[in-house]
Amino acid sequence: MSTEHLLHFRAAGTSLVLDSSGPRLPRILHWGADLGDLGDETSGGPEVLASLAAASHAELGTSVPDVPVPVSVLPEQSAGWLGTPGLSGHREGSDFSSAFTVREVRTPGPRSLTVEAVDEQARLALRWELELTASGLVRQRAELTNEGGAPYTVDALQLTLPVPAHATEILDLTGRHLRERSPQRHEFTLGTHLRENRRGRTGVDATLLHAAGERGFGFRGGEVWALHVAWSGNHRTFAERTNSGVCLLGGGELLLPGEVRLAPGASYATPWLLGAYGRGLDDMAGRFHTYLRQRPHHPAGPRPVTLNTWEAVYFQQDLDTLSALADAAAQVGAERFVLDDGWFRGRRDDRAGLGDWYVDPDVWPQGLHPLVGHVRSLGLQFGLWVEPEMINPDSDLARAHPEWILSAAGRMPPEARHQQVLDLGRPEAYAYVLERLDALVGEYAVDYLKWDHNRDLIDAGSGPYGVGGVHAQTTAVYALMDELRRRHPALEIESCSSGGARVDLGILERSDRVWTSDCIDALERQQIQLWTGMLLPPELMGAHVGAPASHTTGRTHGLDFRAGTALFGHMGIEWDLTRATPEERRRLAEWIEVHKRLRPLLHGGTVVHGDHHDPAVLVHGVVAPDRSRAVYAVVQKATSVQVPAGRVRLPGLAEDALYAVTPLPPGDVVRGPVTSPLPWWTPAGVELPGRVLSAVGVQAPTLHPESLALIEVRRIAPRA
């Protein structure tokens, strides 16, 4: 029995088994736990793959097609599939259904597959690519080419990954501005659970991940499979279960009507669709983190502690105020100073100026040179806020070129934040923005752009006929960032979009971090950062220390809680330090110093979370790759029903290693409703094996709500 067309890819605890036999597109027989070496004699030899394929064939039920329905990576109705089709499109109503025949199968790498297929009747060609990355992620995409003599309209091109029947729960994320990344869980019932994003950007309510798992899966246990669409425009994901026993996750770009109309010979490529398997959410997320860190363009070197001026001064900019703020930033240990909104022509509030990317001579008669010079004299990098994709109707640019506004023919979209969207699909608008950004970065040797995007795309028509323009806008933004970085290789870019409304692996191919949320209330940030961390490692998440009273919620938090929350991301400051007391500045400097000391661990280690019985308590940390050390936060989010707090387990350590466990200053100051001290909470701490710390844990300090404590763990004896 030939096994030539049965492929088994393995990496980092994940196996992927594909069947590319026959004329149809490949089928995935297994995606999940590592199956071991199925080619050696102890596992049954190479014939075991054939046996696995045979054992995967199901019986035929009643009132169904007379032959088995193969559900490929691109499901087709022509094969008998009556669920969500992989390709939806037509040629003026004809060629609405595809039937691709494989013409060539290549394995360009040890864990990759490329398939060329054609539908001769519909005159369509398809190239499908798949890779199992070194971190265990599955990446796939497809490219469709029109080989006919008439245009072909693509309505959807969506790829899928199968999940087993015992994945009976779905987890995805939703949210709103100032409260992104809210998890929601429910049964994986028969039918389709569909999440569509039509905002023209990834969106504050974006799924981020669409996951299916075993009932009750948590951070440390239960199998889970998750999918992400690496695209910054409209997109959709879905989880689908049929009464024939098929369960799958799928997704791709969501195309507006007529948005992709392929001329003869033209092609459309999908975004990358990424899938991650894990035993628990931490394991699943770790595959994304490792994949991102293995990219050659992943941010290298220590991530600079960043002071951003927005919540310190808003639009009230002047040289003396900002120079004093830079002085205070340098004194507490900041390494980068970012001038936020308000520096350009006519920008005294959010009603005017967007599009006029020239330094305002009324505020800055000598340009930004005096401020930039002062900032650099302090040893700080200089960054600048921009919102290149937007335009205020009250701007010189809009008055000169009203046709450059993204709009359906004959009407304007409703304004949001007094702004519209600049149609970057127009070459002349694209060229204007590129010239302005290039000139600013060049003149001031800007180290860092905070690239904002503060509204959804509504009625996003492009050009004189107002055709759907989100796809072209997204690809133009990518091209703009790519070209700017080609011209300025050292430039870093932050993706900011109403806070966390553009968090995806498409934008992160050309940016160095995301602004995780406009809300820096430390309590809200605990959840926002936790769930954003299911996709991104800490060094890609902007996490700033705000003022004592949060500007977005009105809550008041102590400095230790605010700083301890920001410690676990790309740390920064969003606070008018000129109003901080000397004691507050001294304490903040302590937190920044410990962040710098821990930076290699925090930005290079394995992120872990404890599955704790008390919903008021969150335990999270980062463990070194060699498991020689770790730092954990015990976060008291609310009051608990029990006092004292009880034990917390510290996951991720080497079971057979002995560790010293101690409170970590400055996160060692604890206050709570107790009358006696915690015996082990001393500089001497305790010594325990990793298996005890992960299985039993240690008594947690009992804390007042909305506070935290830090625990440091160091290996003191090698593994046997």
Side-chain angles (χ1 to χ4, degrees):
M1 184 185 301
S2 172
T3 60
E4 178 184 353
H5 299 293
L6 295 171
L7 302 172
H8 180 205
F9 299 153
R10 300 172 63 203
T14 298
S15 273
L16 187 71
V17 180
L18 299 107
D19 182 357
S20 61
S21 62
R24 288 284 187 175
L25 292 170
R27 284 78 59 202
I28 295 176
L29 303 182
H30 170 78
W31 168 44
D34 189 359
L35 301 179
D37 186 353
L38 297 184
D40 66 13
E41 294 303 322
T42 60
S43 65
E47 299 302 318
V48 72
L49 284 175
S51 297
L52 188 155
S56 300
H57 292 166
E59 300 168 297
L60 294 177
T62 58
S63 191
V64 297
D66 293 338
V67 294
V69 176
V71 183
S72 72
V73 293
L74 186 82
E76 296 179 284
Q77 188 171 115
S78 61
W81 172 249
L82 296 177
T84 300
L87 172 63
S88 296
H90 62 94
R91 202 183 304 274
E92 299 300 328
S94 66
D95 299 329
F96 72 93
S97 175
S98 68
F100 286 107
T101 299
V102 172
R103 290 296 175 85
E104 184 181 7
V105 177
R106 301 191 302 274
T107 51
R111 296 186 306 274
S112 61
L113 185 68
T114 299
V115 171
E116 305 283 352
V118 65
D119 182 338
E120 292 185 348
Q121 180 173 333
R123 291 153 293 167
L124 297 171
L126 184 80
R127 172 180 294 162
W128 173 73
E129 300 173 77
L130 176 139
E131 176 193 12
L132 182 65
T133 71
S135 71
L137 278 187
V138 178
R139 297 199 314 155
Q140 58 171 328
R141 66 180 176 183
E143 184 177 48
L144 184 73
T145 300
N146 178 15
E147 295 190 337
Y152 181 87
T153 299
V154 181
D155 294 324
L157 187 58
Q158 303 167 137
L159 300 170
T160 65
L161 287 166
V163 296
H166 63 270
T168 56
E169 285 189 0
I170 292 174
L171 167 71
D172 66 337
L173 303 171
T174 183
R176 59 169 174 81
H177 182 225
L178 306 178
R179 201 183 191 281
E180 300 88 344
R181 318 287 174 256
S182 296
Q184 52 186 17
R185 293 176 75 137
H186 50 89
E187 290 292 308
F188 192 171
T189 54
L190 289 175
T192 303
H193 178 253
L194 175 65
R195 291 294 308 275
E196 290 190 335
N197 169 64
R198 299 176 181 271
R199 297 180 179 274
R201 55 178 176 169
T202 319
V204 289
D205 61 342
T207 54
L208 201 72
L209 295 168
H210 212 139
E214 292 182 299
R215 188 178 307 278
F217 66 89
F219 292 109
R220 304 303 297 173
E223 288 189 293
V224 60
W225 296 258
L227 176 143
H228 172 78
V229 179
W231 182 247
S232 308
N234 292 339
H235 62 277
R236 63 161 59 96
T237 59
F238 57 91
E240 191 160 84
R241 183 185 292 267
T242 72
N243 56 14
S244 61
V246 175
C247 305
L248 51 80
L249 300 173
E253 183 180 7
L254 190 159
L255 296 171
L256 297 178
E259 194 168 28
V260 173
R261 193 165 182 263
L262 299 179
S267 299
Y268 164 74
T270 70
W272 283 105
L273 187 73
L274 297 100
Y277 162 79
R279 291 193 177 274
L281 290 166
D282 283 350
D283 190 28
M284 178 276 297
R287 301 194 193 287
F288 283 109
H289 297 182
T290 301
Y291 165 74
L292 288 165
R293 286 169 171 169
Q294 289 173 342
R295 301 173 302 163
H297 56 281
H298 190 70
R303 311 301 297 130
V305 175
T306 299
L307 182 135
N308 190 75
T309 66
W310 178 241
E311 289 196 8
V313 301
Y314 292 104
F315 292 105
Q316 305 307 308
Q317 296 185 1
D318 64 75
L319 179 59
D320 291 342
T321 297
L322 292 168
S323 295
L325 186 58
D327 291 340
Q331 289 168 8
V332 299
E335 298 159 306
R336 175 185 285 157
F337 182 92
V338 179
L339 180 63
D340 210 288
D341 196 357
W343 57 268
F344 50 97
R345 200 165 63 196
R347 189 67 166 177
R348 304 283 68 78
D349 54 35
D350 66 357
R351 296 175 178 271
L354 285 176
D356 298 341
W357 300 110
Y358 297 86
V359 177
D360 193 327
D362 293 336
V363 180
W364 303 100
Q366 297 176 270
L368 296 177
H369 292 292
L371 177 63
V372 174
H374 183 72
V375 166
R376 291 227 161 87
S377 74
L378 298 169
L380 304 177
Q381 295 181 9
F382 179 75
L384 196 62
W385 179 94
V386 292
E387 195 172 0
E389 300 153 74
M390 300 298 152
I391 184 171
N392 284 123
D394 184 4
S395 67
D396 293 341
L397 183 66
R399 285 183 282 272
H401 293 288
E403 74 279 10
W404 287 7
I405 293 176
L406 200 64
S407 60
R411 63 174 182 265
M412 280 289 165
E415 291 183 15
R417 208 187 179 208
H418 315 292
Q419 65 193 50
Q420 296 285 7
V421 183
L422 192 63
D423 183 1
L424 294 179
R426 287 178 174 263
E428 59 272 32
Y430 174 96
Y432 165 78
V433 173
L434 176 59
E435 184 278 328
R436 283 288 76 224
L437 295 179
D438 182 36
L440 287 163
V441 173
E443 179 177 357
Y444 296 106
V446 174
D447 299 293
Y448 180 86
L449 285 180
K450 181 181 178 183
W451 189 300
D452 215 338
H453 180 296
N454 274 314
R455 63 157 294 167
D456 294 331
L457 276 57
I458 301 170
D459 244 11
S462 177
Y465 302 106
V467 299
V470 173
H471 175 80
Q473 183 80 0
T474 307
T475 57
V477 170
Y478 286 173
L480 183 61
M481 288 183 169
D482 290 344
E483 177 59 20
L484 195 61
R485 296 190 69 160
R486 187 192 68 80
R487 297 183 184 187
H488 305 277
L491 178 69
E492 289 196 8
I493 296 176
E494 173 186 69
S495 172
C496 175
S497 185
S498 305
R502 188 151 65 180
V503 177
D504 62 80
L505 300 193
I507 204 70
L508 277 162
E509 278 300 294
R510 56 266 309 162
S511 59
D512 299 277
R513 78 169 199 175
V514 300
W515 181 227
T516 318
S517 175
D518 279 345
C519 180
I520 51 176
D521 175 311
L523 182 62
E524 299 292 335
R525 271 301 187 106
Q526 286 290 336
Q527 171 167 290
I528 293 169
Q529 291 172 195
L530 184 158
W531 291 105
T532 306
M534 293 296 100
L535 182 69
L536 304 185
E539 64 270 24
L540 297 182
M541 293 191 289
H544 288 192
V545 181
S550 169
H551 290 214
T552 57
T553 67
R555 284 195 191 102
T556 299
H557 289 131
L559 177 54
D560 287 352
F561 187 49
R562 285 145 47 215
T565 300
L567 179 84
F568 286 88
H570 181 180
M571 192 176 190
I573 306 158
E574 198 91 9
W575 179 14
D576 186 357
L577 292 178
T578 65
R579 296 175 180 267
T581 67
E583 174 56 26
E584 286 175 323
R585 291 198 209 180
R586 183 196 64 78
R587 189 66 170 172
L588 178 59
E590 290 182 11
W591 278 99
I592 290 174
E593 181 58 35
V594 78
H595 173 80
K596 291 178 178 178
R597 178 172 68 83
L598 294 173
R599 218 162 17 190
L601 169 63
L602 296 172
H603 295 168
T606 302
V607 177
V608 296
H609 301 84
D611 286 312
H612 198 266
H613 66 279
D614 185 348
V617 176
L618 171 65
V619 181
H620 67 89
V622 183
V623 181
D626 64 359
R627 295 190 285 182
S628 62
R629 60 189 298 226
V631 60
Y632 299 90
V634 179
V635 184
Q636 189 73 38
K637 298 186 294 181
T639 57
S640 293
V641 296
Q642 69 175 50
V643 172
R647 288 190 292 218
V648 293
R649 292 178 290 182
L650 306 179
L653 302 169
E655 289 191 356
D656 50 358
L658 183 65
Y659 292 94
V661 186
T662 58
L664 174 62
D668 58 339
V669 178
V670 296
R671 299 178 181 88
V674 291
T675 58
S676 66
L678 183 63
W680 78 269
W681 197 260
T682 69
V686 290
E687 296 180 2
L688 288 168
R691 67 170 60 87
V692 174
L693 291 169
S694 61
V696 179
V698 295
Q699 284 287 339
T702 301
L703 302 168
H704 287 310
E706 302 177 23
S707 63
L708 58 75
L710 298 184
I711 297 172
E712 186 169 26
V713 177
R714 289 182 174 274
R715 188 165 63 207
I716 57 176
R719 285 173 285 178

